[in-house]
Amino acid sequence: MVSRPAARFAHLAGLVLVFVFAMFPFYWMVSSSFKDQADLLASPPMWLFEPTIKHYAEILADQKVTSAIVNSLIVAVSTTALAVLLGTPAAYALARFEFRGKSDLWFWFISNRMISPIVLALPVYLLAQSLGLLDTHLVLILIYLTFNLPIVVWICTDQFRSIPPELEQAARLEGARQFDIFWRIYLPLGLPGVAVSAIFSFIFSWNELLYALVLTRRNVQTAPVAATSFMSGYELPWGKIMATGTVIVLPVTIFALVVSRHMIRGLTMGATK
Amino acid sequence: MSVEGQALAQDAARAGPARRHRLDHGRWTPFFFLAPAVVTLLAIGLYPMLFALVTSFRRYNITRAREGFPFVGFENYSRVLSDQTFWDTLLLTGRFFITVMPIQVVLGLVIALMLHRPGWGFMRSLARVSLVVPLATTYAVVGLLGNLIFNRNFGVANQFLSWFGFAPFDWLGNPSGAFAAIVIMDVWQWTPFCALIFLSGLSMVPVDIEEAARLETKSHWALLRHVQLPYLLPGLTAMLILRSADVLKLFDMIFTMTRGGPGTATELISIYIQRVGFRVFDLGAASAQAILLLLLTILLSRLYIRIFYREIQ
């Protein structure tokens, strides 16, 4: 496509602006994590400074932070795996089968995603207490399923529906079993959707704060809880907070970047060709 | 109204006779595929949900547990509905949504169109990839970061203002400043989500149709309105549903940034419910509020689906 130089330049300027807009707060967090307390409190803020890794040394020596990262990892990976395992077959059924009450069932799945954690936090707390599940990984893994399963079902239903049904009919004629059709046709071809829903699932669980605050104590404290726990006292340890923030955000960001090429193909939300 | 039915009808209409074939399957086949997910969700979610429902009909204050938790009918609901603060926080939540949503949709669309437009390949993928960063940032960390950026004394936001000749501003100590600050952080975090969904929709427009339309018209607006829009609407619906649910649930970012303050300037509905439930310990009222909130969310989602899916046909 031919376009005028001015438009081309505006396009470039716009793209650069998007990049700066998206990256600036992240950059600010990372650069703040390398400032010592005096530089952090400087007014106006400093853009050039002597970097220090003091805060990282501090938090990595702090067992609270390192074990929080491990806990978050265990919880997020397990709940994502379970959500994909349980959600994709359901999505397949919703995408390709006809049965009564289908649209209501679809909506019921989605509405689970809308329940505010505030509603369920206390009942879940009481239930977990009576089952002896407080402060365990399991309780977080299960409760996070309530908002991850709907996301997987939603995204994958749309994705599976865009796969040509002729493929399935052909496979049937060859005598393929229903589960093989799901396993060998829908899962591989719907991979972008599966990947995107897995990313979201992972991000949501990794980032969750409210349930984690209510349901965990010392043993299974997750990363967001650890980050907020520094927020007390008069003079906040900004360097430590930002270093913890960076350590928490970095793994998800890398994970998301690695799979981001699937992102566009997986987020069609029902816009089929 | 059948959403799925409509969507399928659209598919059938677009793809012609081939899609009208129904796939034959045994009566119980869908059941086997659905059962694991349904059973799991029910097993985990049903009890807490019912508990919240039952609690909303009881006087349930933990600090006065000795008096027991008697059933009081709709007392909690009538109390909540006549509670001025509840309506204020709900209104504030609505104002927040009405402020952030148009910005996110318009900015998201502009960004998506820029990313879709050919040219500047490397910068384009760099910009696209950078959108993932806000999306992946922990909400609680976004709030902490907002705290630092908007600090009165050493925040970088005030430095930006000073470059344009404005006096420093006590963002978080001032009702409208604090509201603006949470709006900015929310726009930062969620605009990329809208942009990616729109971009995904744009990439679904068949290339030949888009090329043909470009030959016919020079107007970007006509192209957007007549060719690309139908592919953007399902994404817009999804965005509206997810974002309204998220705004009604919004907690982490505000909790770590302003805690609802100063005063009640940023006390959105879930911060208020949390205060009633976990600081005043009036769980009956908190549950009633939460149930009302859930009804509102479901109502809104139904509405969006009805409006936008009809638009497409």
Side-chain angles (χ1 to χ4, degrees), chain B residues 71-263:
Chain B
F71 279 94
V72 289
F74 283 90
E75 189 194 286
N76 288 318
Y77 286 91
S78 65
R79 236 173 63 224
V80 167
L81 291 173
S82 59
D83 169 15
Q84 190 55 41
T85 320
F86 176 73
W87 291 107
D88 287 346
T89 50
L90 203 57
L91 208 68
L92 188 73
T93 312
R95 241 180 69 203
F96 181 78
F97 181 72
I98 289 176
T99 315
V100 295
M101 199 69 225
I103 304 179
Q104 287 164 355
V105 167
V106 171
L107 263 183
L109 183 60
V110 170
I111 294 175
L113 286 171
M114 281 198 296
L115 293 177
H116 184 64
R117 192 187 154 103
W120 303 112
F122 177 70
M123 193 60 223
R124 215 149 46 102
S125 25
L126 201 62
R128 198 196 66 221
V129 165
S130 73
L131 289 181
V132 175
V133 170
L135 210 56
T137 306
T138 310
Y139 323 127
V141 173
V142 174
L144 296 170
L145 195 52
N147 236 321
L148 180 67
I149 289 177
F150 291 104
N151 188 288
R152 179 180 43 174
N153 299 316
F154 47 87
V156 73
N158 275 339
Q159 191 178 26
F160 287 146
L161 284 184
S162 75
W163 289 348
F164 295 98
F166 292 102
F169 183 53
D170 185 6
W171 290 88
L172 300 178
N174 165 313
S176 48
F179 189 77
I182 60 170
V183 165
I184 292 172
M185 293 316 279
D186 194 76
V187 165
W188 173 69
Q189 181 157 42
W190 290 104
T191 302
F193 178 67
C194 300
L196 288 174
I197 289 188
F198 277 137
L199 183 60
S200 186
L202 287 175
S203 66
M204 294 301 283
V205 180
V207 181
D208 42 337
I209 293 182
E210 193 177 326
E211 289 298 314
R214 275 188 201 283
L215 292 179
E216 294 247 329
T217 172
K218 275 241 167 323
S219 153
H220 289 293
W221 175 248
L223 185 72
L224 182 64
R225 172 77 188 80
H226 297 292
V227 179
Q228 292 168 329
L229 193 66
Y231 291 89
L232 298 178
L233 281 177
L236 183 66
T237 318
M239 249 177 251
L240 286 173
I241 295 174
L242 281 172
R243 288 302 294 142
S244 14
D246 284 349
V247 166
L248 288 171
K249 295 199 302 196
L250 191 61
F251 176 82
D252 306 6
M253 186 261 275
I254 296 180
F255 185 74
T256 53
M257 194 157 151
T258 66
R259 302 229 166 184

Side-chain angles (χ1 to χ4, degrees), chain A residues 73-94:
Chain A
L73 208 60
I74 294 173
V75 170
V77 169
S78 320
T79 192
T80 302
L82 275 176
V84 170
L85 192 72
L86 298 169
T88 46
Y92 169 57
L94 286 170

